[in-house]
Amino acid sequence: MIRTARDAAEPGIPGQSRPSRLVVLDGLRILAALTVMFHHYVGFGGSATGSHNAWGRPIRAVFPHAAQLGAYLWTGVCLFFLISGFVICMSSWGKGLGAFFTSRVTRLYPAYWFAVLATTAVLTVWPMVAQPLDHYSVLANLTMFQTGLGNLNSDAVYWTLWFELRFYLLFALVVWKGVTYNRVVAFCLVWTVAGLLSPVVNEPLLNLVVMPSASSFFIAGLAYYLMYRFRQNLLLWGIVGVNLIVSINYAVGRQRSIDWWLGHHHYPVWPDALLVVLCYAVMALVALGLLSRIQWKWLTWAGALTYPFYLVHENIGWTMIRLLHHRIPPWPLVGLTAVTMLVFAWLVHRLVERPVARLLKRGITSALDEYRAHARAAKAVPAPETVPQQQAAQQERHEHQELAGTARR
């Protein structure tokens, strides 16, 4: 299915003919997830983590050369955030707030609920790489708002979901008014300025909402989608350019903050900047339509595994490595663990995510329909207390007319 320029355009804004399904984004998603997995299995775990890491010893002792490459591949998260901005803008175009809410809940929660419970079960049976959280913290994790509630994550990778949720809540303001070119541009500009100013203001509530550490990726993703749907221009490239600088600054700072956990205190930070630039460059190719011809069907299948794979690969994968690292050489074990987690993710997708998402969608849609029906009924029928008031007003007008007639006579 091809979307025509007329379908894409808004009044006064030229559109472009683009495929309605961007298969390449599915490929980029699974690539980002695999790079994060490589970081966790091959690049993470310095002497600071003691015996509580996947290999039971510093990661550089296991992978003397590859550990340094793995140390930088957490930047797959940066690509995730860029794709998220692009896809959320694309998927919410022409939809109302109810449809946006339904799509986000059914997309995020089914696999996540299972991952929280599965990770807790594995860590309870084999508390080798981490300790399971207490029951109350696990319950808080099921809301996905555990960071806001002051609880730890059941799995460390869930930290990114806190950023995703806040992005959705902010962009819901645009969806509520209706997603248009001008509104998305205004949203990007306001959020960019707020992100630049909030560290100076240093107001905790403002930082919580604006999230200056990661907002740049989402904003750039939104601008890239406008390029893809309509056309590139200097304003959109300016939004991307400013946020690229902010993103590089974030990546460099994060690398320095996690060096202690990587077992090395002198990693250069230029590879982080380079990888962020590469993430932006590949998304620019997507925005310009240069990767739209990629239509490999297997990428769609692989993309469907990305989210459950990301949710389950860290603590469960680390536990598998810890159980088997004395029996299987390191690289074969990394490969075996990766394949096992991919198969596990496929099972989660087929047996949990899809059926639970259907049930959730049916339930939420029914609840929203009922809410709308009550709202329409409330507008159509006057409230009981207004009827006597209307009658009194009519009586008052009648008496006024009689007095006016008497005065004329």
Side-chain angles (χ1 to χ4, degrees):
M1 176 182 177
I2 303 297
R3 185 179 66 243
T4 64
R6 188 180 67 169
D7 294 331
E10 293 182 7
I13 306 176
Q16 304 185 73
S17 295
R18 299 295 196 196
S20 59
R21 172 74 182 183
L22 269 173
V23 176
V24 68
L25 291 179
D26 294 316
L28 291 175
R29 281 193 188 102
I30 195 65
L31 174 63
L34 291 173
T35 58
V36 174
M37 178 214 70
F38 192 92
H39 167 70
H40 287 140
Y41 292 176
V42 178
F44 189 91
S47 56
T49 59
S51 60
H52 292 285
N53 66 39
W55 302 94
R57 52 190 173 135
I59 197 69
R60 288 175 67 88
V62 183
F63 303 103
H65 305 293
Q68 184 162 357
L69 171 62
Y72 296 109
L73 293 187
W74 66 269
T75 48
V77 169
C78 302
L79 183 55
F80 269 134
F81 287 161
L82 283 165
I83 294 172
S84 183
F86 190 103
V87 170
I88 291 303
C89 193
M90 177 171 62
S91 62
S92 61
W93 208 282
K95 294 183 179 179
L97 195 57
F100 178 75
F101 171 78
T102 303
S103 68
R104 291 304 88 205
V105 171
T106 56
R107 178 71 182 94
L108 289 182
Y109 278 96
Y112 174 76
W113 285 332
F114 178 85
V116 169
L117 298 177
T119 299
T120 301
V122 168
L123 294 181
T124 300
V125 177
W126 296 289
M128 299 175 175
V129 297
Q131 294 294 318
L133 300 182
D134 61 78
H135 298 101
Y136 300 106
S137 296
V138 172
L139 288 175
N141 270 257
L142 293 176
T143 69
M144 206 180 286
F145 285 85
Q146 61 272 13
T147 302
L149 295 172
N151 293 89
L152 296 174
N153 292 301
S154 295
D155 194 309
V157 296
Y158 301 164
W159 70 269
T160 59
L161 300 178
W162 180 232
F163 287 94
E164 291 278 354
L165 282 174
R166 286 180 286 168
F167 167 49
Y168 299 157
L169 290 173
L170 279 176
F171 197 70
L173 297 174
V174 181
V175 177
W176 177 49
K177 299 295 290 184
V179 182
T180 65
Y181 181 92
N182 288 346
R183 285 172 182 154
V184 175
V185 169
F187 180 81
C188 290
L189 292 173
V190 171
W191 199 6
T192 298
V193 173
L196 293 172
L197 294 180
S198 61
V200 179
V201 176
N202 198 27
E203 170 59 43
L205 180 59
L206 181 63
N207 289 335
L208 176 69
V209 174
V210 174
M211 47 181 179
S213 58
S215 61
S216 57
F217 300 103
F218 298 119
I219 297 168
L222 294 170
Y224 275 139
Y225 179 68
L226 294 181
M227 292 184 195
Y228 176 80
R229 186 178 179 96
F230 300 101
R231 65 176 184 178
Q232 56 177 315
N233 58 49
L234 187 60
L235 175 60
L236 295 179
W237 280 118
I239 292 171
V240 169
V242 170
N243 283 285
L244 171 60
I245 295 172
V246 177
S247 295
I248 291 173
N249 183 68
Y250 163 73
V252 168
R254 178 168 176 80
Q255 185 68 47
R256 288 171 175 157
S257 70
I258 66 174
D259 265 356
W260 186 72
W261 294 95
L262 302 176
H264 198 284
H265 300 291
H266 303 288
Y267 277 136
V269 293
W270 65 263
D272 296 278
L274 176 61
L275 288 169
V276 169
V277 170
L278 288 176
C279 290
Y280 269 73
V282 72
M283 287 304 297
L285 296 178
V286 173
L288 298 177
L290 300 178
L291 302 181
S292 298
R293 292 185 178 182
I294 297 177
Q295 294 292 325
W296 305 327
K297 292 183 179 180
W298 66 269
L299 287 179
T300 301
W301 174 83
L305 304 184
T306 300
Y307 183 54
F309 174 77
Y310 178 78
L311 293 175
V312 303
H313 83 273
E314 185 178 24
N315 277 340
I316 296 177
W318 276 350
T319 301
M320 179 176 173
I321 290 173
R322 189 63 181 275
L323 288 169
L324 299 176
H325 76 282
H326 289 306
R327 303 178 184 178
I328 302 176
W331 282 114
L333 182 53
V334 168
L336 176 63
T337 305
V339 170
T340 302
M341 292 300 103
L342 285 169
V343 172
F344 187 33
W346 180 80
L347 292 172
V348 174
H349 173 64
R350 290 300 299 271
L351 303 179
V352 178
E353 188 173 33
R354 287 171 58 178
V356 175
R358 283 195 295 267
L359 291 173
L360 266 180
K361 183 176 182 179
R362 191 178 308 133
I364 294 173
T365 301
S366 176
L368 290 176
D369 288 343
E370 186 174 348
Y371 172 82
R372 295 185 186 106
H374 281 287
R376 287 193 297 268
K379 290 181 179 179
V381 179
E385 61 271 15
T386 65
V387 174
Q389 295 174 358
Q390 292 173 351
Q391 294 174 344
Q394 291 174 355
Q395 180 66 24
E396 184 177 352
R397 285 196 298 271
H398 180 69
E399 292 175 354
H400 179 75
Q401 291 171 355
E402 289 182 345
L403 288 173
T406 302
R408 285 196 297 271
R409 287 195 298 270

